[in-house]
């Protein structure tokens, strides 16, 4: 119990000292987040216009993704900053370091690949990648492709013991690395 209290005060002190903005601050300012969302460390939400961001249910946003609801480059042209909403619908996965620009809606059941720059709205059931992000397949086509890889007799499949939460051993880490050189595997 003492450790929990100590960690709580350490986190609060760090927040004040480093002027960190927490998810609860964004929600208090007006951003909306649905149920069962997984927002990983380092995700950046446009604090100055966070109330323009809506996130649906069952959304995963990977580390260091960026959701930007304003474009200040227009200010030097006419003295006004361009702003617009961002709407992330239900069951969306946004990969690491993806950038979602103002005015974008990402439809239900969509995957945004890591590093993608989304400048236009994406229809539901899509997989997008690139700069600017473009549709590379439907969600169903991607599912078939991944399941084919998973069911390939040469695919390496690992259980929870091969994760940090499963306390993966150093030996298993090395084994996993060797087995996955230039090869795709799957972990639970």
């Amino acid at each position: 119990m003492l450790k929990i209290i100590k960690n709580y005060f350490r986190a609060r002190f760090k927040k004040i000292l480093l002027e960190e903005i927490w998810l609860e601050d964004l929600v208090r300012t007006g951003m909306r987040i649905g149920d069962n969302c997984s927002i990983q460390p380092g995700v950046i939400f446009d604090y100055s216009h966070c109330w323009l961001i809506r996130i649906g249910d069952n959304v995963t946003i990977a580390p260091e993704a960026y959701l930007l609801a304003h474009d200040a480059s227009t200010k030097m042209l006419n003295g006004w900053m361009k702003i617009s909403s961002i709407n992330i619908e239900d069951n969306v996965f946004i990969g690491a370091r993806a950038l979602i620009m103002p005015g974008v809606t990402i439809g239900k059941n969509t995957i945004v690949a890591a590093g993608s720059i989304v400048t236009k709205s994406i229809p539901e059931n899509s997989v997008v990648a690139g700069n600017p992000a473009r549709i590379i397949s439907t969600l169903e086509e991607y599912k078939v492709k991944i399941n084919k890889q998973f069911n390939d007799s040469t695919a390496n499949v690992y259980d929870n013991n091969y994760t940090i939460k499963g306390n993966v051993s150093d030996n298993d880490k090395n084994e996993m690395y060797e087995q996955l050189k230039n090869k795709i595997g799957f972990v639970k």
Side-chain angles (χ1 to χ4, degrees):
M1 183 64 159
L2 182 62
K3 186 176 181 179
I4 293 170
I5 293 170
K6 185 177 175 182
N7 286 340
Y8 172 82
F9 284 111
R10 180 183 297 139
R12 289 292 170 180
F13 180 72
K14 184 178 171 187
K15 178 183 181 341
I16 293 166
L17 184 66
L18 299 177
E19 297 180 355
E20 289 181 346
I21 297 170
W22 288 1
L23 208 49
E24 65 190 40
D25 298 325
L26 297 166
V27 170
R28 193 172 30 256
T29 307
M31 189 170 84
R32 293 189 189 159
I33 300 174
D35 294 328
N36 196 36
C37 291
S38 175
I39 298 173
Q40 300 300 304
V43 173
I44 299 173
F45 296 97
D46 190 342
Y47 182 74
S48 64
H49 295 89
C50 61
W51 55 90
L52 295 175
I53 300 171
R54 303 283 189 269
I55 299 171
D57 297 335
N58 306 307
V59 171
T60 297
I61 304 178
E64 299 183 7
Y66 203 121
L67 282 74
L68 187 62
H70 79 279
D71 176 358
S73 68
T74 59
K75 199 161 191 165
M76 67 183 241
L77 301 173
N78 66 5
W80 294 85
M81 182 169 39
K82 184 168 69 172
I83 58 173
S84 190
S85 64
I86 293 175
N87 185 28
I88 311 297
E89 294 183 350
D90 297 341
N91 307 311
V92 169
F93 176 87
I94 299 175
R97 294 196 171 177
L99 172 60
I100 312 302
M101 296 296 288
V104 166
T105 293
I106 298 177
K108 293 179 182 178
N109 308 310
T110 293
I111 295 173
V112 176
S116 297
I117 299 179
V118 183
T119 60
K120 294 185 169 119
S121 293
I122 307 298
E124 62 184 44
N125 299 307
S126 298
V127 178
V128 300
N131 176 10
R134 298 196 191 307
I135 296 173
I136 59 171
S137 73
T138 66
L139 189 63
E140 188 58 34
E141 290 166 342
Y142 187 64
K143 182 178 177 182
V144 168
K145 177 183 174 182
I146 293 303
N147 285 336
K148 183 177 178 185
Q149 289 176 335
F150 180 80
N151 293 319
D152 182 348
S153 62
T154 63
N156 291 74
V157 178
Y158 305 92
D159 63 20
N160 276 345
N161 294 325
Y162 285 83
T163 66
I164 291 173
K165 285 183 180 177
N167 294 319
V168 62
S169 70
D170 288 340
N171 186 54
D172 287 344
K173 289 176 188 176
N174 290 328
E175 174 188 319
M176 198 176 184
Y177 175 81
E178 290 300 324
Q179 290 174 353
L180 294 174
K181 281 185 179 176
N182 301 311
K183 187 176 176 185
I184 298 294
F186 296 88
V187 67
K188 192 67 168 170

